Amino acid sequence: MEEALSLLASSELFAQVSREDFVPLLRWLAPSEHRYKKGEIVLLAGYPVRELGFLLEGELEGVKPTADGRQLTVGHFAPGGVFGDVLAFGGKESPVTITALQDSRVLYLPASSLLRPGCPVPAAQTAFVANLLAAVSDKYFELDRRLDLLLIKSLRSRICAFLLEESRLAGSATFRIRLTRSQLAQYLCCDRSALCRELSRMKAEGLLETYRGSFRLLQPHRLRCCGPDTGLCPHS
């Protein structure tokens, strides 16, 4: 439990909350912990969300059913990940189903506890709410980024845009991504075999090196030339 509390205290949700204020604030938030077995549903699409979920241990996956019957992966959560924060305050129904990919522990924070008056450490409560709003804002821009990618018609252009942005965020031409090939294919809305085939072509052309989740961009300037409006991409 001490390790879980340390993970929670060091998360972005509790940034600017002192160690002295952390425990009183956490008690005020009245959390509850739940354990899930591998394959168990954590949150079912169509059910209202009234709590923030903080993953203490394990791995979760969020999947959205599409109109044509497919299951679109929309999120993966590692320890420290938060879900439900966008919907909890409105009690809206979840559009996704979240499943445990391995045995997991989740700490739930009731939305009703977050804004009620009388917190013994009001400055910590204010900091927590500010951090929560920042997290929701980050998720908005991540969704906006993905929408921009999906609007690009050419698969190679989509791949280039994704890799260049990941490189920019890492501050290096060599970086790792958190997604498997199957997850990346779903993120880019393409077939896994098509993604692997395109990456193999780009590797053969000397544009990049890749091994599992690691990438090294050998000629970033050529990847930038393969933008959505250049018309320079021979493959799609």
Side-chain angles (χ1 to χ4, degrees), residues 103-116:
D103 291 353
S104 303
R105 295 166 56 204
V106 176
L107 191 73
Y108 289 101
L109 304 173
S112 59
S113 299
L114 301 180
L115 299 178
R116 74 177 192 268

Side-chain angles (χ1 to χ4, degrees), residues 128-200:
F128 181 89
V129 172
N131 295 334
L132 180 60
L133 291 174
V136 171
S137 176
D138 288 343
K139 288 187 177 181
Y140 167 81
F141 285 107
E142 173 59 27
L143 288 173
D144 185 65
R145 174 197 175 193
R146 188 178 185 189
L147 178 60
D148 285 342
L149 285 173
L150 297 182
L151 289 174
I152 300 173
K153 293 182 179 180
S154 162
L155 175 55
R156 176 170 288 204
S157 292
R158 250 177 285 161
I159 295 171
C160 290
F162 174 81
L163 293 178
L164 286 169
E165 178 64 8
E166 290 294 313
S167 175
R168 183 189 71 80
L169 293 173
S172 172
T174 302
F175 54 90
R176 287 186 60 84
I177 65 172
R178 66 187 186 280
L179 304 174
T180 65
R181 287 291 185 270
S182 294
Q183 292 165 354
L184 179 57
Q186 290 183 331
Y187 187 84
L188 296 177
C189 200
C190 67
D191 183 76
R192 183 183 185 280
S193 60
L195 171 66
C196 292
R197 185 166 54 248
E198 197 61 57
L199 287 174
S200 294

Side-chain angles (χ1 to χ4, degrees), residues 1-11 14 19 22 54 56:
M1 187 60 181
E2 187 64 32
E3 183 178 346
L5 287 177
S6 178
L7 175 65
L8 189 62
S10 62
S11 72
F14 289 90
R19 290 289 177 174
F22 172 72
F54 185 93
L56 298 172

